[in-house]
Amino acid sequence: MNVVVLAKYVPNPNGVPELGDDFLLKREGVEGALDPGDEFGVEAGLQLAEAQGGEVTVVSMGPEAAMGGVRKALSMGVHKAVLVTDDSLRGSDTLVTARVLAAAIQKAGFDVVIAGVESTDGYTGTLPMALAELLGVPSVTFARKLDVDGGKVRIERQTELGYDVVESELPAVITVTAGATNPRYPTLKGIMQAKQKPVERYTVSDLGLSGDDATPTQRVTTVEAAPEKGPGEIVEDDGSGAQRIAQFLQEAKVI
Amino acid sequence: MTKVWVYADVRPGKVDASALELLTKARSLADTVEAVALGPGATEAAGTLGEYGAQAVYASDDEVYSDVVATAAAHTLHQLVQEHQPNMILFSQGYDARDVAGRLQAKTGSTLMSNASDVTGVDAAETQIFGGTKIAKVSLGGPDPKLVLMRPKSVAAEPHGEGTANVVPVEVEVPEDLKKARRVERHEEEATGPKLEEAKVVISGGRGLQEPDNFKLLDELAAALGGAAIGATRAVVDSGWVPYNYQVGQTGKTVKPEVYFAIGISGAIQHLVGMKESKRIIAINKDAEAPIFKIADLGIVGDALKVVPALTEEIRSRKGG
Ligand SMILES: Cc1cc2nc3c(=O)[nH]c(=O)nc-3n(C[C@H](O)[C@H](O)[C@H](O)COP(=O)(O)OP(=O)(O)OC[C@H]3O[C@@H](n4cnc5c(N)ncnc54)[C@H](O)[C@@H]3O)c2cc1C
Ligand SMILES: Nc1ncnc2c1ncn2[C@@H]1O[C@H](COP(=O)(O)O)[C@@H](O)[C@H]1O
């Protein structure tokens, strides 16, 4: 089975995000990491290949630095990688990203594509479905649990009030929620081996895409500070904290 | 003449409240406001959708739209788009609509904006970034229809007063090969007490509660207050302390109660986006530097495991006395 896992390289998820003059998130020259959401997908992909046989390929689109995220996935045990880097892709929106990833995935071949539900920095959460549409396959999304058997995938899909069981034929795109799996830590051996693993590098034209395909349809025109509310009252609890809250609730006529 | 559509999530006997918010918004953007409702409950929803401003509702009660995930609805919506050519379609940032919008985008090649907090024109929208501290204005280009996913509760739903919707039955054939991903079971955990999105008081707990059992301190506080909904952070949901439908934040619910309690919650930006529009925010955290205090109206620096039971007692005695 050919398993493709998607990996986005994002600015340090625990850091303070910064915007450049062009209102785009600064991705170069800032510390970054494999999107924590994608670690669940990488783990799911590895488990699938371990159970079913086959190879896992990590596919990523991003700047040079995105190699960092790719390497993390390789050191977790992924077999090979595809990284698409192109200056024209700076500031691309989800449609452009979906086109690029679809072309790269088609080149690699796939039975299953696993993505995160949403990225930590962009959190649009629509890329995997656009990708599935471009690949012409079904998508099963928000999986908190997944099983693949006999050319079929069966997932528990998170819903507003509980969960649905969704089944689909393969090939398909699957998105996994945080908590769907327990991502493994790279071992020292894994980290050493990662350096030897094959990494294909592509540009937009290598994928047979044109400049039009890579033109974003959205642009941030301005960024303003949101109206701030004044600072609230902060009190150290010396045993009277509960009374202060009760008084506040009374003033608010909640009690 | 501009035409804005609302993709309405429907179920039998229920129109999603977000559809009414979207219709209210759509009225301020265009002369022609129409809705698309697909799946069981669509036709009966038309009355309500009309009250909120839909002049026409393209409706189909076919179960294919609820049994098949995304592909069937995206196919039909695409057919309708080609026939009627709306300039913009508004969706609510929910599970099903998100899947449909993502697929539609790939079919039409149009722009798709997620997490919009406002739509200011048929080619412009806004989104809150960095936990709502900044607002980014986004210009939407490319071919029509512009697709926008709006966060629930971004606008208040207001009925239009006049108007009933003209129901237009949708008769699109969904090809067999688009029915591959199917829902085979549904499991719904009916929550007790007020619904998180509707409650006047929301009491949310985070990892600072130390262990799952301590959530009962929140239940007791809720009972003393005479009813409140319980919420949680993703950290504790992922740890399995409480079910997912308690989650408040970016990947959970958006709430706007009169009073929001953040108890043992650090205040990560992904949590803040789901609750910072609450009228009053009370935070209890033992770390004076916790980011939650930046948006709290009243912050208590202290141990939640002491303050919460004391508060429950205090409220009981004030109510009793
Ligand atoms: C893509 C993405 C989406 C996300 N979506 C969401 C979302 O929808 N909702 C969400 O909530 N999170 C979301 N998160 C996770 C978010 O980033 C945080 O990790 C999470 O909100 C932290 O939860 P917490 O505050 O319970 O835990 P922590 O951050 O661990 O905070 C615990 C707090 O408890 C305090 N504390 C400890 N002991 C006590 C005590 N005895 N008394 C009082 N206080 C105490 C500590 O000082 C600390 O501030 C998302 C993350 C990502 C990457
Ligand atoms: N540039 C990228 N490279 C690889 N995967 C991506 C990229 N952008 C998004 N993804 C995948 O798509 C998912 C949803 O992303 P988003 O639509 O940006 O929220 C992420 O969790 C990733 O798995």
Side-chain angles (χ1 to χ4, degrees), chain B residues 229-273:
Chain B
I230 308 295
T233 62
R234 174 159 135 186
V236 303
V237 169
D238 285 352
S239 307
W241 293 13
V242 291
Y244 173 76
N245 53 4
Y246 282 50
Q247 186 169 317
V248 173
Q250 185 179 304
T251 36
K253 301 206 159 108
T254 304
V255 300
K256 238 179 182 175
E258 294 284 311
V259 176
Y260 186 89
F261 283 93
I263 302 180
I265 291 176
S266 58
I269 56 176
Q270 296 92 350
H271 185 75
L272 301 189
V273 294

Side-chain angles (χ1 to χ4, degrees), chain A residues 170-241:
Chain A
L170 296 182
V173 172
I174 305 170
T175 70
V176 294
T177 62
T181 56
N182 240 325
R184 64 194 69 182
Y185 289 102
T187 58
L188 195 58
K189 189 165 156 232
I191 294 170
M192 298 309 291
Q193 283 175 345
K195 296 185 179 135
Q196 320 298 331
K197 290 180 175 169
V199 180
E200 297 269 11
R201 313 275 312 235
Y202 297 127
T203 60
V204 167
S205 61
D206 293 340
L207 293 171
L209 297 173
S210 70
D212 281 353
D213 294 323
T215 307
T217 51
Q218 278 176 28
R219 198 168 49 84
V220 176
T221 50
T222 52
V223 173
E224 295 171 356
E228 262 185 71
K229 45 186 210 181
E233 173 192 342
I234 310 293
V235 290
E236 193 80 41
D237 180 40
D238 55 3
S240 65

Side-chain angles (χ1 to χ4, degrees), chain B residues 90-112:
Chain B
L90 306 180
F91 300 80
S92 166
Q93 188 96 20
Y95 298 95
D96 290 342
R98 212 204 263 203
D99 280 14
V100 174
R103 286 199 167 259
L104 182 65
Q105 169 184 44
K107 289 177 191 278
T108 57
S110 27
T111 201
L112 167 55

Side-chain angles (χ1 to χ4, degrees), chain A residues 6-8 35 37-38 59-62 94 97 101 114-119 122-128:
Chain A
L6 294 184
K8 190 176 188 186
D35 193 321
D38 284 335
V59 176
S60 185
M61 178 193 112
T94 48
T97 309
L101 292 174
I114 304 179
V117 159
E118 55 185 15
S119 59
Y123 57 95
T124 56
T126 54
L127 178 125

